[in-house]
Amino acid sequence: MIWGKIQSVKQGTLLVFQVACRRHSRFAPVTPQPVPPLGQTMQRYLRALEPLLPPDELEHTREMVRLFGQEGGLGERLQQGLEKRARFSHNWISDWWVQWAYLESRQPLAGHSNPAIALPKQDYSDWRGQLMFASKLIAGVLDFKAKVDSGSLPVEYLRGQPLCMELYPLLFSSCRIPGPKHDHVVHYSQARRPPTHITVVRNFQFFQLEVYNSDGTPLTEGQIHAQLCRIRSQSWKTDKEPMGILTSEHRNTWGQAYHRLLRDKINKESVRAIERGIFTLCLDSPVMRISDDKYSSRMAAQMLHGGGTYSNSGNRWFDKTLQFVVGEDGSFGLLYEHATAEGPQIATLLDHVLEYCKQPDSVRAPLIPLPMPKKLYFYIDPEIKRDIEQAKQNLDILINDLDISCFIFRRFGKDFPKQLGLSPNAFIQVALQLAYYRVHSEICASCDSASLRMFRGGRTDIIRSPTSQALQFVCAFDDPSVSREAKVDLLREAVAAYAALTEQALQGQAIDRHLLGLKLQAIEEGLSVPRIFMDTAYGLATHWKLRTGQVPSNTDSVMCFGPLVPDGYAVCYNPQSDHVHFSVTAFNCCEETNAEKLAVTLESALCHLQELLHPAV
Ligand code: COA
């Protein structure tokens, strides 16, 4: 739970929720997140810099780190502050992390921050199939929510350890709210009378759809279907003004427009209905077809940003925590807002919903007359109209700039490295380092997300992939003078080094959140930012040209998000036993990067690693 920053709906709600969390056994087993020892982090930071910096620069940084970490130095003082913070807070870093990484970021959520998951195309290709599937999906999500609400969702485990389940209740009825300087998140599910509706958006028009009967039971699939048909008949024409596009803007711009928009009472009511809704369902028109081999990339783009203002981008409210996207052509996926949600929880939710959707259709309910879904109206004055026009232009520029390349690597999956005693994630990360090196003739600061959910309120830390061992391996791999045996040894060493870093990160002993904590502790104490964070080495080491993330799932899904820096890539993957789903993104305006080139090179790097380990294959 992000205690410090989440704004409760009513005073006292937060406390009620805290008490409620303690009552559920699912919140019990996890331990507090430790603050790593200062000396250990300093030493590991220098080790992480080794493959990235020339020796003279590294020497300079080494001296700076020594001064910071020495006995009685500034580092020690800040470390004591963090340890005190850890004693008195739910989690010493999560609320700072969410504030710093998400809520203070001013970049648009579309394409930059919100991740999307594209799922396999469903078996229908017209609006009838779309509404049938959407009805089942809504029922499946409500079924999952009922498990969360009753505390009966089974505790999850990673490497035999129970994981913190606190994030699940926050997924529903929550929304990010833009502010002129920073955003905040509102959670309505903890209110005395939690919302009982979802919002449905079709042809850029939003509807409020009640999904519970007056006795608190959820609507049946048949009832939901009847209501969706009514929404369809009310939204046959595209609204001239796609209000949702406003949420794709730069956050300062949207923060100001939000303020203007909510001056009007009708607008305020409509916006609140979207924010309060349990989730949003986006009923999209078909994904524009190009060629079969590009379809999966196009579909991922559709999930991520709606495909453009002439396509489905007006069917999104990017601030909303959960948005399910169901297209008329069978396309299906989910878009989520990152301040509240993490990939693995979303994958669990989707796995549940897809299992639910496999069940045979339920018995039709007697046709009790239901209230008409409520269309949400907006009053658009010239100022708001101008805001929308500006947002449309900016979103189309952003969409044209974001290159997305998805592919399925079919030659092997996670079983291959496992059979050789190698961690699949570490193996893929070394392949990624090799691919990046082959494209750019250098290695770069790269981050892979590791879950901190073994700890109470834990979010993520970073595993830094460019280790000295990875550098040695990628330099040797294409060198014909190095023997095959030596290359195999170097590969195994690189994988082992990565696996060791993974273990450290999962145990809460990685360096990046600790370094961030030390920096923010200095700011909290009113001190100037310590010199080690002003050092060019720190800037280089945190300029994440390669942002990566594994989101494993039981289904053939692929997650996708944009790069963290203008000259970088983002790579997501979902390893299955005999194949791996990948997505690669990069910005077109950067001349050095090319998503497709990295994707193709990654594919061949994986094949070459297999050939190295199994020359006869
Ligand atoms: N030999 C044989 N098998 C091995 C092995 C080895 N040396 N090392 C690992 N394996 C096995 C594991 O037991 C596991 O088996 P399973 O498929 O039966 O479960 C499988 O290989 C996968 O292990 P690995 O590839 O090492 O991954 P992991 O899941 O243990 O850890 C993390 C990878 C760190 C990415 C993951 O645990 C994690 O933290 N995920 C969350 C990431 C996240 O939050 N992303 C959000 C992005 S928005």
Side-chain angles (χ1 to χ4, degrees):
M1 174 69 187
I2 316 309
W3 297 110
K5 301 299 169 194
I6 285 172
Q7 195 177 58
S8 61
V9 180
K10 287 203 172 85
Q11 259 200 342
T13 309
L14 202 58
L15 182 64
V16 172
F17 179 54
Q18 196 168 5
V19 172
C21 287
R22 300 279 180 269
R23 273 206 302 269
H24 286 300
S25 61
R26 65 173 190 255
F27 295 106
V30 284
T31 52
Q33 186 175 325
V35 180
L38 181 65
Q40 172 185 292
T41 295
M42 293 298 112
Q43 199 188 28
R44 288 180 179 173
Y45 174 50
L46 288 173
R47 205 171 300 147
L49 290 177
E50 275 168 18
L52 295 172
L53 288 185
D56 54 332
E57 281 184 40
L58 187 64
E59 214 34 62
H60 169 79
T61 302
R62 213 183 282 282
E63 178 57 14
M64 214 174 262
V65 166
R66 191 190 64 75
L67 289 173
F68 179 76
Q70 72 188 355
E71 216 179 300
L74 178 57
E76 211 171 74
R77 171 177 169 183
L78 299 176
Q79 176 77 2
Q80 282 165 7
L82 284 186
E83 285 166 0
K84 187 169 170 202
R85 184 178 164 83
R87 282 196 295 280
F88 295 105
S89 58
H90 190 67
N91 181 299
W92 62 272
I93 190 68
S94 285
D95 57 349
W96 269 355
W97 164 247
V98 169
Q99 185 73 11
W100 179 85
Y102 302 117
L103 302 178
E104 280 176 12
S105 165
R106 303 290 78 201
Q107 281 191 318
L109 300 186
H112 286 283
S113 178
N114 285 7
I117 300 192
L119 284 125
K121 195 170 180 302
Q122 296 299 305
D123 192 19
Y124 63 79
S125 53
D126 63 8
W127 67 267
R128 287 182 186 81
Q130 178 190 31
L131 298 194
M132 290 296 283
F133 178 69
S135 315
K136 195 134 205 169
L137 175 119
I138 293 171
V141 182
L142 295 180
D143 185 64
F144 184 84
K145 182 177 179 298
K147 289 198 164 33
V148 172
D149 291 346
S150 64
S152 60
L153 194 68
V155 171
E156 293 170 294
Y157 286 79
L158 179 64
R159 299 190 172 185
Q161 295 296 316
L163 300 181
C164 177
M165 304 290 282
E166 287 179 12
L167 215 66
Y168 282 107
L170 305 178
L171 297 179
F172 301 104
S173 292
S174 72
C175 195
R176 179 161 164 171
I177 309 294
K181 291 208 172 99
H182 58 81
D183 299 353
H184 65 276
V185 179
V186 283
H187 293 279
Y188 290 97
S189 61
Q190 313 306 324
R192 204 163 300 145
R193 287 174 55 198
T196 51
H197 70 275
I198 65 167
T199 45
V200 179
V201 50
R202 181 172 180 271
N203 280 339
F204 310 167
Q205 298 168 63
F206 285 84
F207 294 85
Q208 176 171 344
L209 171 61
E210 290 298 326
V211 286
Y212 291 93
N213 293 301
S214 51
D215 63 357
T217 55
L219 295 195
T220 63
E221 276 162 55
Q223 287 175 311
I224 297 170
H225 182 257
Q227 293 294 69
L228 291 182
C229 288
R230 291 165 108 178
I231 288 176
R232 184 175 190 276
S233 62
Q234 279 189 74
S235 60
W236 58 275
K237 216 173 86 196
T238 303
D239 248 19
K240 276 202 213 105
E241 302 303 343
M243 298 304 296
I245 299 276
L246 286 172
T247 64
S248 69
E249 264 287 20
H250 181 279
R251 301 305 292 173
N252 285 359
T253 313
W254 170 217
Q256 285 155 8
Y258 183 84
H259 183 70
R260 278 194 288 277
L261 186 68
L262 265 62
R263 281 192 304 225
D264 179 83
K265 193 167 165 282
I266 297 175
N267 293 343
K268 192 171 179 173
E269 276 177 15
S270 297
V271 170
R272 289 284 181 265
I274 298 170
E275 291 167 353
R276 287 170 49 84
I278 298 168
F279 59 88
T280 294
L281 170 73
C282 313
L283 292 175
D284 276 12
S285 53
V287 176
M288 240 181 287
R289 274 206 94 96
I290 22 170
S291 57
D292 277 356
D293 59 324
K294 295 259 184 241
Y295 183 77
S296 61
S297 306
R298 178 67 73 139
M299 172 124 115
Q302 173 88 359
M303 299 306 144
L304 196 62
H305 49 55
T309 55
Y310 289 100
S311 187
N312 287 293
S313 297
N315 283 351
R316 303 284 182 276
W317 194 267
F318 289 98
D319 295 353
K320 190 70 190 158
T321 303
L322 286 181
Q323 298 192 82
F324 293 87
V325 182
V326 178
E328 212 172 295
D329 54 355
S331 53
F332 168 44
L334 186 148
L335 179 68
Y336 66 92
E337 197 287 301
H338 219 335
T340 304
E342 293 288 0
Q345 285 97 330
I346 297 294
T348 302
L349 162 64
L350 282 170
D351 284 346
H352 178 93
V353 170
L354 285 170
E355 271 308 305
Y356 185 94
C357 289
K358 283 185 202 154
Q359 291 173 15
D361 287 347
S362 60
V363 185
R364 280 194 170 274
L367 281 181
I368 306 162
L370 292 167
M372 196 71 179
K374 185 176 158 198
K375 179 162 172 163
L376 301 177
Y377 289 97
F378 290 93
Y379 169 68
I380 295 160
D381 66 19
E383 253 186 311
I384 295 167
K385 177 138 180 62
R386 193 202 57 209
D387 292 335
I388 296 172
E389 286 311 312
Q390 191 64 49
K392 277 161 76 174
Q393 274 182 28
N394 288 340
L395 182 60
D396 281 336
I397 292 170
L398 195 148
I399 287 174
N400 287 330
D401 194 23
L402 189 67
D403 191 12
I404 303 178
S405 188
C406 295
F407 68 99
I408 303 175
F409 179 74
R410 296 190 188 275
R411 200 141 143 191
F412 58 84
K414 63 179 173 178
D415 282 356
F416 171 69
K418 274 165 79 170
Q419 282 153 9
L420 296 167
L422 300 169
S423 147
N425 191 54
F427 183 82
I428 292 171
Q429 284 290 331
V430 174
L432 259 167
Q433 288 297 310
L434 178 60
Y436 187 91
Y437 186 79
R438 280 176 166 177
V439 174
H440 294 281
S441 309
E442 61 172 18
I443 59 166
C444 66
S446 331
C447 57
D448 182 22
S449 299
S451 177
L452 286 176
R453 286 177 63 207
M454 286 188 197
F455 304 107
R456 191 175 65 204
R459 295 290 295 255
T460 56
D461 206 330
I462 283 173
I463 315 165
R464 289 170 166 259
S465 354
T467 57
S468 297
Q469 292 86 342
L471 178 60
Q472 264 188 300
F473 170 68
V474 299
C475 291
F477 191 72
D478 291 324
D479 181 348
S481 70
V482 181
S483 71
R484 183 187 153 261
E485 290 70 25
K487 287 179 189 173
V488 171
D489 287 347
L490 288 172
L491 170 60
R492 283 192 171 275
E493 279 167 29
V495 172
Y498 192 86
L501 287 180
T502 304
E503 191 53 34
Q504 287 169 11
L506 293 174
Q507 297 304 326
Q509 301 295 326
I511 59 175
D512 282 280
R513 298 297 175 265
H514 190 199
L515 289 172
L516 176 71
L518 291 164
K519 184 170 149 188
L520 296 179
Q521 182 65 29
I523 295 169
E524 179 107 333
E525 290 187 25
L527 305 170
S528 42
V529 174
R531 282 183 62 207
I532 59 162
F533 301 116
M534 311 298 275
D535 185 19
T536 45
Y538 185 73
L540 181 97
T542 50
H543 186 75
W544 306 111
K545 285 192 180 180
L546 201 48
R547 171 195 195 186
T548 73
Q550 179 191 159
V551 179
S553 148
N554 296 336
T555 48
D556 274 317
S557 58
V558 66
M559 190 160 145
C560 174
F561 43 55
L564 284 173
V565 294
D567 53 346
Y569 299 93
V571 182
C572 284
Y573 48 94
N574 172 14
Q576 301 289 306
S577 50
D578 60 358
H579 61 279
V580 188
H581 293 267
F582 282 101
S583 72
V584 182
T585 60
F587 293 113
N588 288 320
C589 67
C590 174
E591 281 181 11
E592 293 116 60
T593 56
N594 182 324
E596 194 168 343
K597 190 168 177 191
L598 187 71
V600 170
T601 315
L602 175 59
E603 241 180 318
S604 67
L606 284 162
C607 292
H608 292 161
L609 293 189
Q610 187 194 33
E611 284 154 20
L612 176 74
L613 292 163
H614 271 184
V617 175

PDB file of all heavy atoms in Angstrom, residues 544-562:
ATOM      1  N   TRP A 544      18.648   4.939 -18.857  1.00  0.00           N
ATOM      2  CA  TRP A 544      18.310   3.547 -19.192  1.00  0.00           C
ATOM      3  C   TRP A 544      17.991   3.408 -20.674  1.00  0.00           C
ATOM      4  O   TRP A 544      16.843   3.517 -21.074  1.00  0.00           O
ATOM      5  CB  TRP A 544      17.121   3.076 -18.359  1.00  0.00           C
ATOM      6  CG  TRP A 544      17.303   3.238 -16.888  1.00  0.00           C
ATOM      7  CD1 TRP A 544      16.641   4.098 -16.064  1.00  0.00           C
ATOM      8  CD2 TRP A 544      18.206   2.502 -16.041  1.00  0.00           C
ATOM      9  NE1 TRP A 544      17.069   3.950 -14.762  1.00  0.00           N
ATOM     10  CE2 TRP A 544      18.032   2.978 -14.725  1.00  0.00           C
ATOM     11  CE3 TRP A 544      19.146   1.494 -16.266  1.00  0.00           C
ATOM     12  CZ2 TRP A 544      18.756   2.484 -13.642  1.00  0.00           C
ATOM     13  CZ3 TRP A 544      19.870   1.010 -15.182  1.00  0.00           C
ATOM     14  CH2 TRP A 544      19.671   1.499 -13.899  1.00  0.00           C
ATOM     15  N   LYS A 545      19.029   3.121 -21.449  1.00  0.00           N
ATOM     16  CA  LYS A 545      18.796   2.973 -22.891  1.00  0.00           C
ATOM     17  C   LYS A 545      18.083   1.665 -23.194  1.00  0.00           C
ATOM     18  O   LYS A 545      17.515   1.503 -24.259  1.00  0.00           O
ATOM     19  CB  LYS A 545      20.128   3.023 -23.645  1.00  0.00           C
ATOM     20  CG  LYS A 545      20.705   4.420 -23.745  1.00  0.00           C
ATOM     21  CD  LYS A 545      21.839   4.408 -24.741  1.00  0.00           C
ATOM     22  CE  LYS A 545      22.457   5.777 -24.876  1.00  0.00           C
ATOM     23  NZ  LYS A 545      23.548   5.774 -25.838  1.00  0.00           N
ATOM     24  N   LEU A 546      18.170   0.736 -22.286  1.00  0.00           N
ATOM     25  CA  LEU A 546      17.488  -0.545 -22.478  1.00  0.00           C
ATOM     26  C   LEU A 546      16.615  -0.792 -21.250  1.00  0.00           C
ATOM     27  O   LEU A 546      17.128  -1.086 -20.172  1.00  0.00           O
ATOM     28  CB  LEU A 546      18.541  -1.640 -22.668  1.00  0.00           C
ATOM     29  CG  LEU A 546      18.172  -2.941 -23.349  1.00  0.00           C
ATOM     30  CD1 LEU A 546      17.409  -2.717 -24.639  1.00  0.00           C
ATOM     31  CD2 LEU A 546      19.438  -3.750 -23.629  1.00  0.00           C
ATOM     32  N   ARG A 547      15.311  -0.621 -21.444  1.00  0.00           N
ATOM     33  CA  ARG A 547      14.359  -0.882 -20.362  1.00  0.00           C
ATOM     34  C   ARG A 547      13.729  -2.242 -20.661  1.00  0.00           C
ATOM     35  O   ARG A 547      13.196  -2.442 -21.764  1.00  0.00           O
ATOM     36  CB  ARG A 547      13.277   0.204 -20.405  1.00  0.00           C
ATOM     37  CG  ARG A 547      12.110  -0.028 -19.511  1.00  0.00           C
ATOM     38  CD  ARG A 547      10.948   0.898 -19.900  1.00  0.00           C
ATOM     39  NE  ARG A 547       9.951   0.947 -18.839  1.00  0.00           N
ATOM     40  CZ  ARG A 547       8.787   1.571 -18.942  1.00  0.00           C
ATOM     41  NH1 ARG A 547       8.476   2.226 -20.047  1.00  0.00           N
ATOM     42  NH2 ARG A 547       7.937   1.576 -17.944  1.00  0.00           N
ATOM     43  N   THR A 548      13.818  -3.164 -19.739  1.00  0.00           N
ATOM     44  CA  THR A 548      13.296  -4.493 -20.032  1.00  0.00           C
ATOM     45  C   THR A 548      12.392  -4.979 -18.908  1.00  0.00           C
ATOM     46  O   THR A 548      12.459  -4.479 -17.790  1.00  0.00           O
ATOM     47  CB  THR A 548      14.436  -5.521 -20.221  1.00  0.00           C
ATOM     48  OG1 THR A 548      15.015  -5.800 -18.949  1.00  0.00           O
ATOM     49  CG2 THR A 548      15.509  -5.028 -21.173  1.00  0.00           C
ATOM     50  N   GLY A 549      11.570  -5.934 -19.204  1.00  0.00           N
ATOM     51  CA  GLY A 549      10.707  -6.497 -18.167  1.00  0.00           C
ATOM     52  C   GLY A 549      10.130  -7.826 -18.601  1.00  0.00           C
ATOM     53  O   GLY A 549       9.669  -7.973 -19.734  1.00  0.00           O
ATOM     54  N   GLN A 550      10.218  -8.788 -17.684  1.00  0.00           N
ATOM     55  CA  GLN A 550       9.576 -10.070 -17.956  1.00  0.00           C
ATOM     56  C   GLN A 550       8.235 -10.075 -17.227  1.00  0.00           C
ATOM     57  O   GLN A 550       8.192  -9.823 -16.025  1.00  0.00           O
ATOM     58  CB  GLN A 550      10.434 -11.227 -17.424  1.00  0.00           C
ATOM     59  CG  GLN A 550       9.765 -12.536 -17.678  1.00  0.00           C
ATOM     60  CD  GLN A 550      10.372 -13.754 -16.963  1.00  0.00           C
ATOM     61  OE1 GLN A 550       9.697 -14.736 -16.811  1.00  0.00           O
ATOM     62  NE2 GLN A 550      11.616 -13.698 -16.564  1.00  0.00           N
ATOM     63  N   VAL A 551       7.166 -10.334 -17.960  1.00  0.00           N
ATOM     64  CA  VAL A 551       5.879 -10.514 -17.299  1.00  0.00           C
ATOM     65  C   VAL A 551       5.369 -11.899 -17.699  1.00  0.00           C
ATOM     66  O   VAL A 551       4.747 -12.072 -18.742  1.00  0.00           O
ATOM     67  CB  VAL A 551       4.877  -9.400 -17.660  1.00  0.00           C
ATOM     68  CG1 VAL A 551       3.541  -9.648 -16.976  1.00  0.00           C
ATOM     69  CG2 VAL A 551       5.425  -8.054 -17.219  1.00  0.00           C
ATOM     70  N   PRO A 552       5.692 -12.891 -16.871  1.00  0.00           N
ATOM     71  CA  PRO A 552       5.271 -14.242 -17.229  1.00  0.00           C
ATOM     72  C   PRO A 552       3.779 -14.414 -17.028  1.00  0.00           C
ATOM     73  O   PRO A 552       3.196 -13.788 -16.149  1.00  0.00           O
ATOM     74  CB  PRO A 552       6.054 -15.131 -16.253  1.00  0.00           C
ATOM     75  CG  PRO A 552       6.468 -14.252 -15.140  1.00  0.00           C
ATOM     76  CD  PRO A 552       6.377 -12.836 -15.584  1.00  0.00           C
ATOM     77  N   SER A 553       3.179 -15.204 -17.862  1.00  0.00           N
ATOM     78  CA  SER A 553       1.741 -15.395 -17.776  1.00  0.00           C
ATOM     79  C   SER A 553       1.417 -16.778 -18.306  1.00  0.00           C
ATOM     80  O   SER A 553       2.203 -17.360 -19.066  1.00  0.00           O
ATOM     81  CB  SER A 553       1.084 -14.292 -18.616  1.00  0.00           C
ATOM     82  OG  SER A 553      -0.103 -14.732 -19.176  1.00  0.00           O
ATOM     83  N   ASN A 554       0.263 -17.318 -17.911  1.00  0.00           N
ATOM     84  CA  ASN A 554      -0.132 -18.638 -18.423  1.00  0.00           C
ATOM     85  C   ASN A 554      -0.625 -18.551 -19.858  1.00  0.00           C
ATOM     86  O   ASN A 554      -0.809 -19.560 -20.521  1.00  0.00           O
ATOM     87  CB  ASN A 554      -1.258 -19.228 -17.566  1.00  0.00           C
ATOM     88  CG  ASN A 554      -0.784 -19.476 -16.155  1.00  0.00           C
ATOM     89  OD1 ASN A 554       0.418 -19.631 -15.928  1.00  0.00           O
ATOM     90  ND2 ASN A 554      -1.702 -19.489 -15.212  1.00  0.00           N
ATOM     91  N   THR A 555      -0.888 -17.340 -20.322  1.00  0.00           N
ATOM     92  CA  THR A 555      -1.454 -17.201 -21.663  1.00  0.00           C
ATOM     93  C   THR A 555      -0.414 -16.644 -22.631  1.00  0.00           C
ATOM     94  O   THR A 555       0.597 -16.077 -22.221  1.00  0.00           O
ATOM     95  CB  THR A 555      -2.639 -16.214 -21.643  1.00  0.00           C
ATOM     96  OG1 THR A 555      -2.221 -15.072 -20.932  1.00  0.00           O
ATOM     97  CG2 THR A 555      -3.844 -16.816 -21.009  1.00  0.00           C
ATOM     98  N   ASP A 556      -0.728 -16.765 -23.911  1.00  0.00           N
ATOM     99  CA  ASP A 556       0.179 -16.275 -24.945  1.00  0.00           C
ATOM    100  C   ASP A 556       0.033 -14.774 -25.120  1.00  0.00           C
ATOM    101  O   ASP A 556      -0.382 -14.289 -26.166  1.00  0.00           O
ATOM    102  CB  ASP A 556      -0.115 -16.994 -26.259  1.00  0.00           C
ATOM    103  CG  ASP A 556       0.634 -18.309 -26.335  1.00  0.00           C
ATOM    104  OD1 ASP A 556       1.822 -18.332 -25.965  1.00  0.00           O
ATOM    105  OD2 ASP A 556       0.017 -19.314 -26.735  1.00  0.00           O
ATOM    106  N   SER A 557       0.367 -14.040 -24.077  1.00  0.00           N
ATOM    107  CA  SER A 557       0.210 -12.591 -24.153  1.00  0.00           C
ATOM    108  C   SER A 557       1.576 -11.940 -24.294  1.00  0.00           C
ATOM    109  O   SER A 557       2.597 -12.554 -23.999  1.00  0.00           O
ATOM    110  CB  SER A 557      -0.444 -12.097 -22.870  1.00  0.00           C
ATOM    111  OG  SER A 557       0.340 -12.477 -21.766  1.00  0.00           O
ATOM    112  N   VAL A 558       1.552 -10.698 -24.720  1.00  0.00           N
ATOM    113  CA  VAL A 558       2.809  -9.936 -24.679  1.00  0.00           C
ATOM    114  C   VAL A 558       2.531  -8.540 -24.149  1.00  0.00           C
ATOM    115  O   VAL A 558       1.557  -7.906 -24.499  1.00  0.00           O
ATOM    116  CB  VAL A 558       3.535  -9.890 -26.041  1.00  0.00           C
ATOM    117  CG1 VAL A 558       2.767  -9.113 -27.082  1.00  0.00           C
ATOM    118  CG2 VAL A 558       4.927  -9.313 -25.887  1.00  0.00           C
ATOM    119  N   MET A 559       3.430  -8.146 -23.246  1.00  0.00           N
ATOM    120  CA  MET A 559       3.288  -6.812 -22.689  1.00  0.00           C
ATOM    121  C   MET A 559       4.129  -5.846 -23.520  1.00  0.00           C
ATOM    122  O   MET A 559       5.059  -6.268 -24.208  1.00  0.00           O
ATOM    123  CB  MET A 559       3.801  -6.845 -21.268  1.00  0.00           C
ATOM    124  CG  MET A 559       3.491  -5.617 -20.539  1.00  0.00           C
ATOM    125  SD  MET A 559       3.597  -6.008 -18.808  1.00  0.00           S
ATOM    126  CE  MET A 559       4.213  -4.486 -18.304  1.00  0.00           C
ATOM    127  N   CYS A 560       3.803  -4.590 -23.410  1.00  0.00           N
ATOM    128  CA  CYS A 560       4.462  -3.613 -24.269  1.00  0.00           C
ATOM    129  C   CYS A 560       4.432  -2.250 -23.582  1.00  0.00           C
ATOM    130  O   CYS A 560       3.412  -1.873 -23.010  1.00  0.00           O
ATOM    131  CB  CYS A 560       3.628  -3.614 -25.553  1.00  0.00           C
ATOM    132  SG  CYS A 560       4.064  -2.435 -26.736  1.00  0.00           S
ATOM    133  N   PHE A 561       5.578  -1.536 -23.596  1.00  0.00           N
ATOM    134  CA  PHE A 561       5.584  -0.148 -23.139  1.00  0.00           C
ATOM    135  C   PHE A 561       6.675   0.612 -23.876  1.00  0.00           C
ATOM    136  O   PHE A 561       7.493   0.009 -24.580  1.00  0.00           O
ATOM    137  CB  PHE A 561       5.708  -0.004 -21.616  1.00  0.00           C
ATOM    138  CG  PHE A 561       6.706  -0.917 -20.936  1.00  0.00           C
ATOM    139  CD1 PHE A 561       8.023  -0.966 -21.325  1.00  0.00           C
ATOM    140  CD2 PHE A 561       6.310  -1.717 -19.864  1.00  0.00           C
ATOM    141  CE1 PHE A 561       8.935  -1.792 -20.678  1.00  0.00           C
ATOM    142  CE2 PHE A 561       7.216  -2.551 -19.216  1.00  0.00           C
ATOM    143  CZ  PHE A 561       8.523  -2.580 -19.627  1.00  0.00           C
ATOM    144  N   GLY A 562       6.680   1.913 -23.715  1.00  0.00           N
ATOM    145  CA  GLY A 562       7.625   2.741 -24.459  1.00  0.00           C
ATOM    146  C   GLY A 562       8.974   2.827 -23.748  1.00  0.00           C
ATOM    147  O   GLY A 562       9.086   2.497 -22.565  1.00  0.00           O
TER     148      GLY A 562
END
